[in-house]
Amino acid sequence: MDHRIPFLDLRVGDDERKRLLEAIDRVLQHGRLVMGPEVERFEAQVAKRCGRKFAVGVGSGTDALFLALKAMGIGPGDEVITTSLSWIATANAIALCGASPVFADIGEDLNIDPQSVRSLVGKKTKAIVPVHYTGRCCQMQALEDIADAHGLAIVEDAAQAFGAMHDGRPAGSFGVAGCFSMNPMKVFAACGEAGAVVTDRQDIHERLLACRYNGTVNRETCIAVSLNGRIDTLQAAVLLERLKTVDEVIARRRQNAAFYNRNLYGVTGLPAVGPGDDHVYYTYTLQAQRRDELMGYLASEGIETRIQHPILMPHQPAYQKARRAPLPVAEAVIQKILCIPVNEKITTGQMEIVCDRIRRFFGR
Ligand SMILES: *Cc1c(COP(=O)(O)O)cnc(C)c1O
C-alpha cells in the first residue's frame, strides 16, 4: 500500500472523467477547436461569477496579467507596484509590457502591505498589482484608498483566488481588471494552460480582444504589438464542466484548512484569516521554525510539501536592479513558509498523519 501523501494529485476520478470526456467529445464533433462556442459560454459564466460585465478567456494566467496591463496602456517609462512574494509570472507580466515592477513588502497575511505601497508611489507609478496570495484577498480598501488618492489603476492578480470573497465581494471584482489562472494546479483548473481577465470597462474589453490575438481587429488589421493568447476551446469546455463543481472543491479545501487549524493550533504558525475573508486555500501555508528540517522530516515520512516560493521576486537574478521598499517582513517570512497538502482529495486519515508528524517534529 502506498502511504505517500502527495501535495497534489491531478488524476481525474471516474465520474468526473466521464463528464470531461463527454465535453471534449462534443468539441471534437463540432470541430470549432479555435474560438468555439464554449469560449463565449465560459466567458459569460466567469464574468457573472465575478460580478463583472466582461470576461476574456486567455491562454494562461501570465497572459491574463500581461494582456490586462497592455490593454490599459501600461508600457515603457511606467512603474507598477507589486508584492515581493508571488510566482514570478506577476513581475514578468509587468516587465514584458515594458514597464518596471517595483516591489513592496508584505504583511503577516503574506499579502502586499499597503503601508509599503504608499512609500513607493512616485511620479512614474501607474498601477498597483496586488496578488491574492494563497487564495486570500489583499486588504483591498486600503489599496483602493491609495489608488484613488494618486490616480492609480489596480489590476488584481487573482490567479490563486478564484471563488475567494472579501467584504462580500468576489476576488477579481475590485480592480480595473482581475486576472485569473486556470492552470491544472489552481483551485479552478483546466486540463492544461488557461486563464481569464475580467473587467467592467468596455474600452478595456475591446483592447483585450485585440491584444489576445496579435493586436488585430477585423481579422487582419493590427493596432497593437501583441501575441496570440487565446484560450483553447477544449480547455474552455473542461472549465465549463468544472465550474459546476468548483464550489464543492472550495468547500472541501475550507474543511481541510479548518481541520488543520484545530489540530495544529499552538504547534506552529498557522495561516491567519481576517474578518470578512473567505479564503479558498489554494495553499495552506504554515510559518514554521526550522522549516527546512521540518520539510525534510515530512518528506522522510512520505508527506510532500512545497515552499511557495523560496525566492522573493526582487531577489531573482532577473530583477536585481528593480526598485523596492525595505523588505523586513518578506525576508523573514520566506525562511518560514511551508505549504502542506490541503487539496480536495486528501482524506481525514491522511491529514491526521500530517498533523501527527508535525506535532512529533515539534515534540508536542
Ligand atoms: C499561477 C500564477 C500565475 C500564472 O499563471 P499561469 O497560468 O501559470 O501562467 C500568476 N500569478 C500567480 C500569483 C500565480 O499563482
Side-chain angles (χ1 to χ4, degrees):
M1 196 177 147
D2 186 7
H3 289 288
R4 246 178 39 85
I5 301 177
F7 187 74
L8 269 180
D9 178 0
L10 298 183
R11 287 173 300 179
V12 180
D14 288 340
D15 289 348
E16 191 187 24
R17 203 166 72 243
K18 191 159 167 292
R19 287 195 298 112
L20 295 187
L21 285 172
E22 283 166 9
I24 289 167
D25 193 47
R26 287 193 292 273
V27 176
L28 296 181
Q29 289 196 42
H30 70 57
R32 293 178 60 190
L33 298 181
V34 178
M35 299 308 284
E38 285 80 2
V39 172
E40 245 175 67
R41 275 167 46 214
F42 163 74
E43 290 172 341
Q45 292 193 22
V46 166
K48 186 161 172 237
R49 167 92 198 210
C50 296
R52 293 292 215 172
K53 289 203 182 103
F54 308 103
V56 175
V58 296
S60 68
T62 311
D63 280 351
L65 287 161
F66 168 75
L67 294 168
L69 292 164
K70 190 160 177 68
M72 288 166 52
I74 305 238
D78 298 337
E79 286 187 346
V80 177
I81 300 173
T82 191
T83 179
S84 291
L85 179 59
S86 182
W87 171 229
I88 196 65
T90 311
N92 284 346
I94 296 166
L96 282 168
C97 288
S100 303
V102 174
F103 297 104
D105 201 8
I106 58 173
E108 282 299 327
D109 61 357
L110 306 184
N111 280 334
I112 194 165
D113 174 9
Q115 280 286 100
S116 180
V117 172
R118 201 174 283 118
S119 77
L120 288 168
V121 175
K123 283 203 189 75
K124 295 180 183 168
T125 313
K126 287 284 154 53
I128 306 171
V129 177
V131 179
H132 304 314
Y133 207 58
T134 73
R136 177 190 173 179
C137 288
C138 298
Q139 295 176 52
M140 293 312 298
Q141 186 62 56
L143 293 172
E144 283 172 342
D145 291 346
I146 297 167
D148 289 347
H150 299 277
L152 310 176
I154 292 179
V155 176
E156 294 167 75
D157 181 343
Q160 304 186 351
F162 188 89
M165 302 285 288
H166 179 72
D167 293 339
R169 288 169 64 184
S173 72
F174 292 91
V176 176
C179 302
F180 295 99
S181 165
M182 283 91 176
N183 85 30
M185 292 182 329
K186 299 299 194 302
V187 175
F188 175 38
C191 292
E193 308 288 349
V197 183
V198 295
T199 185
D200 288 328
R201 291 247 312 254
Q202 179 150 8
D203 57 332
I204 289 176
H205 179 235
E206 281 166 15
R207 292 284 295 181
L208 277 169
L209 293 178
C211 288
R212 165 171 80 171
Y213 193 43
N214 277 293
T216 56
V217 290
N218 308 325
R219 289 184 167 269
E220 284 297 343
T221 308
C222 177
I223 58 162
V225 178
S226 193
L227 43 69
N228 179 3
R230 296 182 296 188
I231 190 171
D232 284 327
T233 307
L234 283 171
Q235 298 305 344
V238 166
L239 287 164
L240 276 170
E241 278 308 310
R242 285 202 160 153
L243 196 54
K244 295 175 187 164
T245 52
V246 70
D247 287 321
E248 290 163 37
V249 169
I250 292 169
R252 279 299 297 267
R253 283 173 175 262
R254 285 195 182 129
Q255 280 166 18
N256 295 346
F259 182 95
Y260 284 139
N261 286 342
R262 286 193 303 276
N263 287 279
L264 292 173
Y265 184 79
V267 178
T268 186
L270 304 181
V273 183
D277 265 320
D278 289 322
H279 198 316
V280 294
Y281 294 100
Y282 168 66
T283 59
Y284 185 91
T285 305
L286 304 175
Q287 292 192 42
Q289 303 298 328
R290 295 156 59 210
R291 188 267 319 270
D292 293 346
E293 225 184 299
L294 172 63
M295 188 178 194
Y297 171 68
L298 294 175
S300 74
E301 293 288 317
I303 300 165
E304 188 191 356
T305 60
R306 290 195 190 162
I307 302 169
Q308 278 176 348
H309 289 277
I311 305 174
L312 294 175
M313 296 196 295
H315 291 169
Q316 293 285 3
Y319 290 100
Q320 255 164 17
K321 294 195 181 124
R323 195 158 79 82
R324 70 206 56 191
L327 305 171
V329 179
E331 284 168 359
V333 152
I334 202 147
Q335 309 295 328
K336 296 189 287 182
I337 49 175
L338 187 66
C339 309
I340 61 176
V342 73
N343 69 76
E344 60 280 2
K345 291 189 183 130
I346 195 168
T347 64
T348 304
Q350 288 176 317
M351 287 192 293
E352 275 166 358
I353 295 172
V354 173
C355 292
D356 175 76
R357 299 304 185 274
I358 293 172
R359 281 197 301 262
R360 201 181 287 178
F361 178 81
F362 287 112
R364 303 292 288 267

